[in-house]
Amino acid sequence: IGYAALGRACSRSQEISRGMVLAARTLGVDLVMRDNEFSPPKALANLDVFLNERVHLVIEHQWSDSAGEVIAARCRKAGVPLMALDFIHPDSYYYGPDDAEAGKVSGQFLREWTEQNKRRPDRIIVIPPRGTSANRQAFLTGVRAGLHQRAAAAPSVEIITTDGLSSSDAYRAVRTALQQETPKRSILVAAGSDAYAIGAGRAAARAGLESGVAIVSLGGGHAGRGQLLRDGALRANVATFPETYGE
């Protein structure tokens, strides 16, 4: 089996990779492992390695639409089945969260949080997961459905995008969005990853807005679950337990 990890710098990718290695050892499967380094050209180069090694299955963890199309076409031509992790690829077996349902659960939690705390949201911010256009749109559609399911009125959804994948990238983007906010405002944030949620939480704390901010993250890895135990703006995880992917 050829397995291409998203990137070593990502805690989610690290957890998935550890699970893959453990499962391969347990089952006696030969695992050819490469790191995509968040780079579409690197992902294509890694695919060359897998096809030259004549693997029986390619497990791909990469976020680019264009690279995904090329990878799918080359696997199809070589007669090698393709499994895509987290990010939808054409003609592949998909393994990962249902982004629409995860977004809907996120939106429902945020709406219920405002009801339980007797708050009317002043702003709703969504940081979609970095990935294919299908994943991002599904998450955003789900969040909107969950938020407005029973709400008579709510502010429009603001979308904040970042080119990076780290908590620092999200921190900078959300900090800019919150610069003019006052502590009495209620702000809801649906984050497409644990890293984005952690970064958004740091931005809320820096702005002195934690008490009025509710953040929910998609991911639920060790970092996200650990952050949830602290008394901060992160209120919930929609957990996918990445350490179990290898199972």
Side-chain angles (χ1 to χ4, degrees), residues 100-142:
E101 186 62 24
K104 184 177 179 180
V105 171
S106 298
Q108 287 171 335
F109 172 84
L110 292 173
R111 174 173 47 77
E112 290 168 4
W113 183 87
T114 62
E115 293 170 355
Q116 291 169 3
N117 290 275
K118 296 180 172 55
R119 289 177 176 270
R120 180 185 175 89
D122 296 298
R123 293 180 71 182
I124 300 171
I125 295 172
V126 179
I127 314 173
R130 175 74 181 270
T132 64
S133 55
N135 290 92
R136 295 165 68 89
Q137 187 57 48
F139 182 75
L140 181 58
T141 299

mmCIF file of all heavy atoms in Angstrom, residues 100-142:
data_model
loop_
_atom_site.group_PDB
_atom_site.id
_atom_site.type_symbol
_atom_site.label_atom_id
_atom_site.label_comp_id
_atom_site.label_asym_id
_atom_site.label_seq_id
_atom_site.Cartn_x
_atom_site.Cartn_y
_atom_site.Cartn_z
ATOM 1 N N ALA A 100 -20.828 18.029 5.102
ATOM 2 C CA ALA A 100 -22.132 18.680 5.206
ATOM 3 C C ALA A 100 -22.764 18.398 6.568
ATOM 4 O O ALA A 100 -23.295 19.304 7.222
ATOM 5 C CB ALA A 100 -23.050 18.194 4.087
ATOM 6 N N GLU A 101 -22.699 17.143 7.006
ATOM 7 C CA GLU A 101 -23.277 16.796 8.300
ATOM 8 C C GLU A 101 -22.483 17.426 9.436
ATOM 9 O O GLU A 101 -23.058 17.898 10.430
ATOM 10 C CB GLU A 101 -23.315 15.276 8.465
ATOM 11 C CG GLU A 101 -24.019 14.788 9.720
ATOM 12 C CD GLU A 101 -25.487 15.169 9.775
ATOM 13 O OE1 GLU A 101 -26.103 15.411 8.707
ATOM 14 O OE2 GLU A 101 -26.044 15.240 10.902
ATOM 15 N N ALA A 102 -21.126 17.429 9.306
ATOM 16 C CA ALA A 102 -20.296 18.060 10.335
ATOM 17 C C ALA A 102 -20.589 19.553 10.432
ATOM 18 O O ALA A 102 -20.658 20.121 11.530
ATOM 19 C CB ALA A 102 -18.820 17.835 10.018
ATOM 20 N N GLY A 103 -20.774 20.201 9.295
ATOM 21 C CA GLY A 103 -21.130 21.614 9.305
ATOM 22 C C GLY A 103 -22.491 21.848 9.942
ATOM 23 O O GLY A 103 -22.678 22.788 10.721
ATOM 24 N N LYS A 104 -23.436 20.961 9.638
ATOM 25 C CA LYS A 104 -24.772 21.094 10.215
ATOM 26 C C LYS A 104 -24.742 20.938 11.733
ATOM 27 O O LYS A 104 -25.359 21.717 12.464
ATOM 28 C CB LYS A 104 -25.708 20.056 9.598
ATOM 29 C CG LYS A 104 -27.148 20.174 10.061
ATOM 30 C CD LYS A 104 -28.031 19.145 9.355
ATOM 31 C CE LYS A 104 -29.470 19.242 9.826
ATOM 32 N NZ LYS A 104 -30.334 18.236 9.143
ATOM 33 N N VAL A 105 -23.994 19.936 12.217
ATOM 34 C CA VAL A 105 -23.869 19.739 13.662
ATOM 35 C C VAL A 105 -23.206 20.953 14.303
ATOM 36 O O VAL A 105 -23.604 21.402 15.385
ATOM 37 C CB VAL A 105 -23.085 18.451 13.960
ATOM 38 C CG1 VAL A 105 -22.755 18.342 15.452
ATOM 39 C CG2 VAL A 105 -23.870 17.228 13.514
ATOM 40 N N SER A 106 -22.197 21.508 13.635
ATOM 41 C CA SER A 106 -21.530 22.717 14.150
ATOM 42 C C SER A 106 -22.522 23.863 14.276
ATOM 43 O O SER A 106 -22.574 24.567 15.295
ATOM 44 C CB SER A 106 -20.376 23.119 13.223
ATOM 45 O OG SER A 106 -19.379 22.120 13.153
ATOM 46 N N GLY A 107 -23.295 24.080 13.219
ATOM 47 C CA GLY A 107 -24.278 25.159 13.238
ATOM 48 C C GLY A 107 -25.342 24.951 14.305
ATOM 49 O O GLY A 107 -25.745 25.901 14.983
ATOM 50 N N GLN A 108 -25.794 23.704 14.461
ATOM 51 C CA GLN A 108 -26.806 23.415 15.481
ATOM 52 C C GLN A 108 -26.264 23.703 16.881
ATOM 53 O O GLN A 108 -26.968 24.275 17.720
ATOM 54 C CB GLN A 108 -27.236 21.952 15.384
ATOM 55 C CG GLN A 108 -28.103 21.645 14.181
ATOM 56 C CD GLN A 108 -28.340 20.156 14.001
ATOM 57 O OE1 GLN A 108 -27.550 19.326 14.442
ATOM 58 N NE2 GLN A 108 -29.422 19.811 13.335
ATOM 59 N N PHE A 109 -25.011 23.303 17.128
ATOM 60 C CA PHE A 109 -24.441 23.562 18.447
ATOM 61 C C PHE A 109 -24.365 25.053 18.723
ATOM 62 O O PHE A 109 -24.719 25.513 19.815
ATOM 63 C CB PHE A 109 -23.048 22.946 18.580
ATOM 64 C CG PHE A 109 -22.360 23.355 19.857
ATOM 65 C CD1 PHE A 109 -22.613 22.677 21.038
ATOM 66 C CD2 PHE A 109 -21.500 24.448 19.888
ATOM 67 C CE1 PHE A 109 -22.024 23.068 22.227
ATOM 68 C CE2 PHE A 109 -20.907 24.850 21.075
ATOM 69 C CZ PHE A 109 -21.170 24.153 22.244
ATOM 70 N N LEU A 110 -23.898 25.826 17.751
ATOM 71 C CA LEU A 110 -23.766 27.266 17.959
ATOM 72 C C LEU A 110 -25.131 27.917 18.191
ATOM 73 O O LEU A 110 -25.267 28.803 19.049
ATOM 74 C CB LEU A 110 -23.070 27.896 16.751
ATOM 75 C CG LEU A 110 -21.593 27.512 16.566
ATOM 76 C CD1 LEU A 110 -21.065 28.050 15.244
ATOM 77 C CD2 LEU A 110 -20.748 28.016 17.724
ATOM 78 N N ARG A 111 -26.135 27.498 17.463
ATOM 79 C CA ARG A 111 -27.479 28.040 17.670
ATOM 80 C C ARG A 111 -27.983 27.690 19.075
ATOM 81 O O ARG A 111 -28.538 28.546 19.779
ATOM 82 C CB ARG A 111 -28.436 27.485 16.610
ATOM 83 C CG ARG A 111 -29.880 27.870 16.831
ATOM 84 C CD ARG A 111 -30.771 27.448 15.669
ATOM 85 N NE ARG A 111 -30.543 26.082 15.257
ATOM 86 C CZ ARG A 111 -30.999 24.999 15.897
ATOM 87 N NH1 ARG A 111 -31.688 25.145 17.026
ATOM 88 N NH2 ARG A 111 -30.784 23.793 15.440
ATOM 89 N N GLU A 112 -27.789 26.433 19.478
ATOM 90 C CA GLU A 112 -28.243 26.018 20.810
ATOM 91 C C GLU A 112 -27.473 26.740 21.915
ATOM 92 O O GLU A 112 -28.029 27.045 22.970
ATOM 93 C CB GLU A 112 -28.103 24.501 20.942
ATOM 94 C CG GLU A 112 -29.113 23.742 20.069
ATOM 95 C CD GLU A 112 -28.803 22.267 19.962
ATOM 96 O OE1 GLU A 112 -27.836 21.812 20.627
ATOM 97 O OE2 GLU A 112 -29.508 21.560 19.210
ATOM 98 N N TRP A 113 -26.189 27.029 21.666
ATOM 99 C CA TRP A 113 -25.392 27.758 22.668
ATOM 100 C C TRP A 113 -25.982 29.149 22.887
ATOM 101 O O TRP A 113 -26.089 29.615 24.027
ATOM 102 C CB TRP A 113 -23.942 27.854 22.219
ATOM 103 C CG TRP A 113 -23.035 28.512 23.199
ATOM 104 C CD1 TRP A 113 -22.376 27.933 24.238
ATOM 105 C CD2 TRP A 113 -22.678 29.912 23.233
ATOM 106 N NE1 TRP A 113 -21.635 28.870 24.924
ATOM 107 C CE2 TRP A 113 -21.805 30.090 24.336
ATOM 108 C CE3 TRP A 113 -22.994 31.013 22.453
ATOM 109 C CZ2 TRP A 113 -21.252 31.330 24.661
ATOM 110 C CZ3 TRP A 113 -22.458 32.252 22.772
ATOM 111 C CH2 TRP A 113 -21.610 32.396 23.859
ATOM 112 N N THR A 114 -26.369 29.818 21.808
ATOM 113 C CA THR A 114 -26.961 31.154 21.959
ATOM 114 C C THR A 114 -28.295 31.072 22.693
ATOM 115 O O THR A 114 -28.621 31.940 23.509
ATOM 116 C CB THR A 114 -27.166 31.826 20.591
ATOM 117 O OG1 THR A 114 -28.069 31.049 19.799
ATOM 118 C CG2 THR A 114 -25.846 31.973 19.854
ATOM 119 N N GLU A 115 -29.085 30.030 22.423
ATOM 120 C CA GLU A 115 -30.375 29.883 23.097
ATOM 121 C C GLU A 115 -30.190 29.611 24.587
ATOM 122 O O GLU A 115 -30.873 30.202 25.430
ATOM 123 C CB GLU A 115 -31.172 28.756 22.441
ATOM 124 C CG GLU A 115 -31.615 29.065 21.015
ATOM 125 C CD GLU A 115 -32.194 27.859 20.307
ATOM 126 O OE1 GLU A 115 -32.168 26.753 20.896
ATOM 127 O OE2 GLU A 115 -32.669 28.005 19.163
ATOM 128 N N GLN A 116 -29.260 28.717 24.916
ATOM 129 C CA GLN A 116 -29.034 28.360 26.315
ATOM 130 C C GLN A 116 -28.470 29.533 27.111
ATOM 131 O O GLN A 116 -28.752 29.680 28.306
ATOM 132 C CB GLN A 116 -28.103 27.159 26.405
ATOM 133 C CG GLN A 116 -28.726 25.869 25.907
ATOM 134 C CD GLN A 116 -27.718 24.757 25.747
ATOM 135 O OE1 GLN A 116 -26.529 24.918 26.056
ATOM 136 N NE2 GLN A 116 -28.172 23.611 25.269
ATOM 137 N N ASN A 117 -27.659 30.353 26.459
ATOM 138 C CA ASN A 117 -27.038 31.494 27.131
ATOM 139 C C ASN A 117 -27.818 32.790 26.923
ATOM 140 O O ASN A 117 -27.332 33.863 27.296
ATOM 141 C CB ASN A 117 -25.594 31.666 26.643
ATOM 142 C CG ASN A 117 -24.688 30.557 27.140
ATOM 143 O OD1 ASN A 117 -24.163 30.621 28.253
ATOM 144 N ND2 ASN A 117 -24.504 29.526 26.329
ATOM 145 N N LYS A 118 -28.997 32.651 26.308
ATOM 146 C CA LYS A 118 -29.887 33.800 26.087
ATOM 147 C C LYS A 118 -29.163 34.957 25.399
ATOM 148 O O LYS A 118 -29.210 36.104 25.823
ATOM 149 C CB LYS A 118 -30.505 34.263 27.420
ATOM 150 C CG LYS A 118 -31.418 33.213 28.060
ATOM 151 C CD LYS A 118 -32.006 33.717 29.362
ATOM 152 C CE LYS A 118 -33.051 32.755 29.904
ATOM 153 N NZ LYS A 118 -32.568 31.375 30.083
ATOM 154 N N ARG A 119 -28.467 34.587 24.333
ATOM 155 C CA ARG A 119 -27.734 35.580 23.546
ATOM 156 C C ARG A 119 -28.286 35.629 22.121
ATOM 157 O O ARG A 119 -28.690 34.608 21.579
ATOM 158 C CB ARG A 119 -26.241 35.230 23.489
ATOM 159 C CG ARG A 119 -25.500 35.421 24.798
ATOM 160 C CD ARG A 119 -24.061 34.967 24.650
ATOM 161 N NE ARG A 119 -23.269 35.210 25.835
ATOM 162 C CZ ARG A 119 -22.583 36.309 26.083
ATOM 163 N NH1 ARG A 119 -22.606 37.297 25.212
ATOM 164 N NH2 ARG A 119 -21.877 36.443 27.183
ATOM 165 N N ARG A 120 -28.254 36.791 21.554
ATOM 166 C CA ARG A 120 -28.555 36.952 20.137
ATOM 167 C C ARG A 120 -27.228 37.178 19.421
ATOM 168 O O ARG A 120 -26.510 38.127 19.744
ATOM 169 C CB ARG A 120 -29.484 38.139 19.907
ATOM 170 C CG ARG A 120 -29.850 38.365 18.441
ATOM 171 C CD ARG A 120 -30.672 39.635 18.283
ATOM 172 N NE ARG A 120 -30.923 39.915 16.885
ATOM 173 C CZ ARG A 120 -31.976 39.454 16.209
ATOM 174 N NH1 ARG A 120 -32.849 38.686 16.833
ATOM 175 N NH2 ARG A 120 -32.155 39.767 14.938
ATOM 176 N N PRO A 121 -26.878 36.329 18.459
ATOM 177 C CA PRO A 121 -25.572 36.491 17.814
ATOM 178 C C PRO A 121 -25.471 37.779 17.010
ATOM 179 O O PRO A 121 -26.393 38.135 16.266
ATOM 180 C CB PRO A 121 -25.476 35.265 16.895
ATOM 181 C CG PRO A 121 -26.889 34.852 16.655
ATOM 182 C CD PRO A 121 -27.633 35.200 17.912
ATOM 183 N N ASP A 122 -24.390 38.494 17.214
ATOM 184 C CA ASP A 122 -24.141 39.710 16.439
ATOM 185 C C ASP A 122 -23.387 39.405 15.154
ATOM 186 O O ASP A 122 -23.561 40.102 14.149
ATOM 187 C CB ASP A 122 -23.328 40.702 17.284
ATOM 188 C CG ASP A 122 -24.103 41.169 18.506
ATOM 189 O OD1 ASP A 122 -25.161 41.793 18.326
ATOM 190 O OD2 ASP A 122 -23.660 40.882 19.638
ATOM 191 N N ARG A 123 -22.533 38.368 15.207
ATOM 192 C CA ARG A 123 -21.777 37.979 14.016
ATOM 193 C C ARG A 123 -21.660 36.466 13.980
ATOM 194 O O ARG A 123 -21.547 35.811 15.027
ATOM 195 C CB ARG A 123 -20.371 38.587 14.013
ATOM 196 C CG ARG A 123 -20.332 40.086 13.866
ATOM 197 C CD ARG A 123 -18.901 40.595 13.873
ATOM 198 N NE ARG A 123 -18.170 40.242 12.667
ATOM 199 C CZ ARG A 123 -16.873 40.549 12.463
ATOM 200 N NH1 ARG A 123 -16.198 41.168 13.411
ATOM 201 N NH2 ARG A 123 -16.278 40.213 11.345
ATOM 202 N N ILE A 124 -21.684 35.920 12.784
ATOM 203 C CA ILE A 124 -21.446 34.486 12.566
ATOM 204 C C ILE A 124 -20.313 34.369 11.558
ATOM 205 O O ILE A 124 -20.413 34.849 10.421
ATOM 206 C CB ILE A 124 -22.702 33.778 12.031
ATOM 207 C CG1 ILE A 124 -23.862 33.912 13.022
ATOM 208 C CG2 ILE A 124 -22.406 32.309 11.765
ATOM 209 C CD1 ILE A 124 -25.187 33.423 12.476
ATOM 210 N N ILE A 125 -19.227 33.725 11.991
ATOM 211 C CA ILE A 125 -18.040 33.598 11.153
ATOM 212 C C ILE A 125 -17.789 32.117 10.865
ATOM 213 O O ILE A 125 -17.840 31.282 11.771
ATOM 214 C CB ILE A 125 -16.808 34.206 11.846
ATOM 215 C CG1 ILE A 125 -16.987 35.725 12.013
ATOM 216 C CG2 ILE A 125 -15.530 33.908 11.064
ATOM 217 C CD1 ILE A 125 -15.915 36.385 12.862
ATOM 218 N N VAL A 126 -17.520 31.799 9.616
ATOM 219 C CA VAL A 126 -17.155 30.436 9.231
ATOM 220 C C VAL A 126 -15.763 30.459 8.609
ATOM 221 O O VAL A 126 -15.486 31.283 7.723
ATOM 222 C CB VAL A 126 -18.156 29.835 8.222
ATOM 223 C CG1 VAL A 126 -17.721 28.425 7.815
ATOM 224 C CG2 VAL A 126 -19.555 29.791 8.819
ATOM 225 N N ILE A 127 -14.898 29.581 9.112
ATOM 226 C CA ILE A 127 -13.576 29.380 8.508
ATOM 227 C C ILE A 127 -13.616 27.997 7.873
ATOM 228 O O ILE A 127 -13.433 26.983 8.549
ATOM 229 C CB ILE A 127 -12.446 29.450 9.552
ATOM 230 C CG1 ILE A 127 -12.629 30.645 10.485
ATOM 231 C CG2 ILE A 127 -11.088 29.515 8.862
ATOM 232 C CD1 ILE A 127 -11.646 30.672 11.642
ATOM 233 N N PRO A 128 -13.906 27.908 6.569
ATOM 234 C CA PRO A 128 -14.057 26.589 5.949
ATOM 235 C C PRO A 128 -12.761 25.793 6.003
ATOM 236 O O PRO A 128 -11.669 26.355 6.060
ATOM 237 C CB PRO A 128 -14.433 26.922 4.496
ATOM 238 C CG PRO A 128 -14.866 28.347 4.513
ATOM 239 C CD PRO A 128 -14.084 29.000 5.607
ATOM 240 N N PRO A 129 -12.864 24.463 5.984
ATOM 241 C CA PRO A 129 -11.651 23.649 5.977
ATOM 242 C C PRO A 129 -10.849 23.887 4.706
ATOM 243 O O PRO A 129 -11.422 24.092 3.635
ATOM 244 C CB PRO A 129 -12.180 22.207 6.039
ATOM 245 C CG PRO A 129 -13.579 22.300 5.515
ATOM 246 C CD PRO A 129 -14.085 23.647 5.905
ATOM 247 N N ARG A 130 -9.549 23.904 4.840
ATOM 248 C CA ARG A 130 -8.697 23.994 3.655
ATOM 249 C C ARG A 130 -8.842 22.682 2.898
ATOM 250 O O ARG A 130 -8.690 21.609 3.458
ATOM 251 C CB ARG A 130 -7.235 24.199 4.086
ATOM 252 C CG ARG A 130 -6.220 24.198 2.937
ATOM 253 C CD ARG A 130 -6.291 25.481 2.153
ATOM 254 N NE ARG A 130 -5.359 25.483 1.040
ATOM 255 C CZ ARG A 130 -4.098 25.923 1.112
ATOM 256 N NH1 ARG A 130 -3.618 26.352 2.269
ATOM 257 N NH2 ARG A 130 -3.323 25.935 0.049
ATOM 258 N N GLY A 131 -9.145 22.754 1.628
ATOM 259 C CA GLY A 131 -9.301 21.506 0.883
ATOM 260 C C GLY A 131 -9.991 21.725 -0.437
ATOM 261 O O GLY A 131 -10.035 22.840 -0.970
ATOM 262 N N THR A 132 -10.560 20.657 -0.971
ATOM 263 C CA THR A 132 -11.208 20.731 -2.264
ATOM 264 C C THR A 132 -12.460 21.605 -2.171
ATOM 265 O O THR A 132 -13.038 21.789 -1.105
ATOM 266 C CB THR A 132 -11.603 19.331 -2.756
ATOM 267 O OG1 THR A 132 -12.577 18.780 -1.872
ATOM 268 C CG2 THR A 132 -10.386 18.404 -2.812
ATOM 269 N N SER A 133 -12.878 22.116 -3.316
ATOM 270 C CA SER A 133 -14.047 22.991 -3.339
ATOM 271 C C SER A 133 -15.293 22.248 -2.856
ATOM 272 O O SER A 133 -16.164 22.837 -2.202
ATOM 273 C CB SER A 133 -14.264 23.541 -4.748
ATOM 274 O OG SER A 133 -14.364 22.491 -5.694
ATOM 275 N N ALA A 134 -15.384 20.953 -3.141
ATOM 276 C CA ALA A 134 -16.542 20.169 -2.711
ATOM 277 C C ALA A 134 -16.603 20.085 -1.189
ATOM 278 O O ALA A 134 -17.684 20.240 -0.591
ATOM 279 C CB ALA A 134 -16.491 18.771 -3.319
ATOM 280 N N ASN A 135 -15.456 19.837 -0.551
ATOM 281 C CA ASN A 135 -15.426 19.769 0.911
ATOM 282 C C ASN A 135 -15.826 21.100 1.539
ATOM 283 O O ASN A 135 -16.632 21.149 2.480
ATOM 284 C CB ASN A 135 -14.025 19.399 1.401
ATOM 285 C CG ASN A 135 -13.629 17.976 1.093
ATOM 286 O OD1 ASN A 135 -13.029 17.727 0.053
ATOM 287 N ND2 ASN A 135 -13.955 17.048 1.966
ATOM 288 N N ARG A 136 -15.260 22.174 1.034
ATOM 289 C CA ARG A 136 -15.502 23.495 1.606
ATOM 290 C C ARG A 136 -16.971 23.893 1.460
ATOM 291 O O ARG A 136 -17.588 24.397 2.398
ATOM 292 C CB ARG A 136 -14.595 24.528 0.925
ATOM 293 C CG ARG A 136 -13.123 24.314 1.185
ATOM 294 C CD ARG A 136 -12.260 25.122 0.220
ATOM 295 N NE ARG A 136 -12.379 26.538 0.458
ATOM 296 C CZ ARG A 136 -11.614 27.229 1.301
ATOM 297 N NH1 ARG A 136 -10.689 26.619 2.014
ATOM 298 N NH2 ARG A 136 -11.761 28.535 1.432
ATOM 299 N N GLN A 137 -17.529 23.681 0.272
ATOM 300 C CA GLN A 137 -18.913 24.070 0.035
ATOM 301 C C GLN A 137 -19.870 23.233 0.872
ATOM 302 O O GLN A 137 -20.870 23.747 1.401
ATOM 303 C CB GLN A 137 -19.255 23.923 -1.453
ATOM 304 C CG GLN A 137 -20.628 24.478 -1.808
ATOM 305 C CD GLN A 137 -20.783 25.943 -1.415
ATOM 306 O OE1 GLN A 137 -19.924 26.779 -1.700
ATOM 307 N NE2 GLN A 137 -21.885 26.270 -0.730
ATOM 308 N N ALA A 138 -19.574 21.948 1.019
ATOM 309 C CA ALA A 138 -20.435 21.078 1.829
ATOM 310 C C ALA A 138 -20.447 21.543 3.285
ATOM 311 O O ALA A 138 -21.513 21.587 3.926
ATOM 312 C CB ALA A 138 -19.951 19.632 1.732
ATOM 313 N N PHE A 139 -19.287 21.893 3.830
ATOM 314 C CA PHE A 139 -19.204 22.353 5.213
ATOM 315 C C PHE A 139 -19.986 23.648 5.392
ATOM 316 O O PHE A 139 -20.779 23.793 6.342
ATOM 317 C CB PHE A 139 -17.737 22.548 5.603
ATOM 318 C CG PHE A 139 -17.530 22.981 7.026
ATOM 319 C CD1 PHE A 139 -17.676 22.078 8.065
ATOM 320 C CD2 PHE A 139 -17.177 24.289 7.327
ATOM 321 C CE1 PHE A 139 -17.489 22.477 9.391
ATOM 322 C CE2 PHE A 139 -16.978 24.692 8.646
ATOM 323 C CZ PHE A 139 -17.131 23.774 9.668
ATOM 324 N N LEU A 140 -19.793 24.582 4.485
ATOM 325 C CA LEU A 140 -20.477 25.877 4.585
ATOM 326 C C LEU A 140 -21.999 25.718 4.483
ATOM 327 O O LEU A 140 -22.748 26.323 5.263
ATOM 328 C CB LEU A 140 -19.968 26.801 3.479
ATOM 329 C CG LEU A 140 -20.545 28.213 3.435
ATOM 330 C CD1 LEU A 140 -20.303 28.945 4.741
ATOM 331 C CD2 LEU A 140 -19.947 28.997 2.264
ATOM 332 N N THR A 141 -22.445 24.879 3.563
ATOM 333 C CA THR A 141 -23.878 24.631 3.412
ATOM 334 C C THR A 141 -24.456 24.010 4.685
ATOM 335 O O THR A 141 -25.544 24.376 5.147
ATOM 336 C CB THR A 141 -24.141 23.703 2.215
ATOM 337 O OG1 THR A 141 -23.668 24.331 1.019
ATOM 338 C CG2 THR A 141 -25.624 23.389 2.065
ATOM 339 N N GLY A 142 -23.703 23.065 5.268
ATOM 340 C CA GLY A 142 -24.152 22.421 6.495
ATOM 341 C C GLY A 142 -24.250 23.396 7.657
ATOM 342 O O GLY A 142 -25.218 23.359 8.424
#
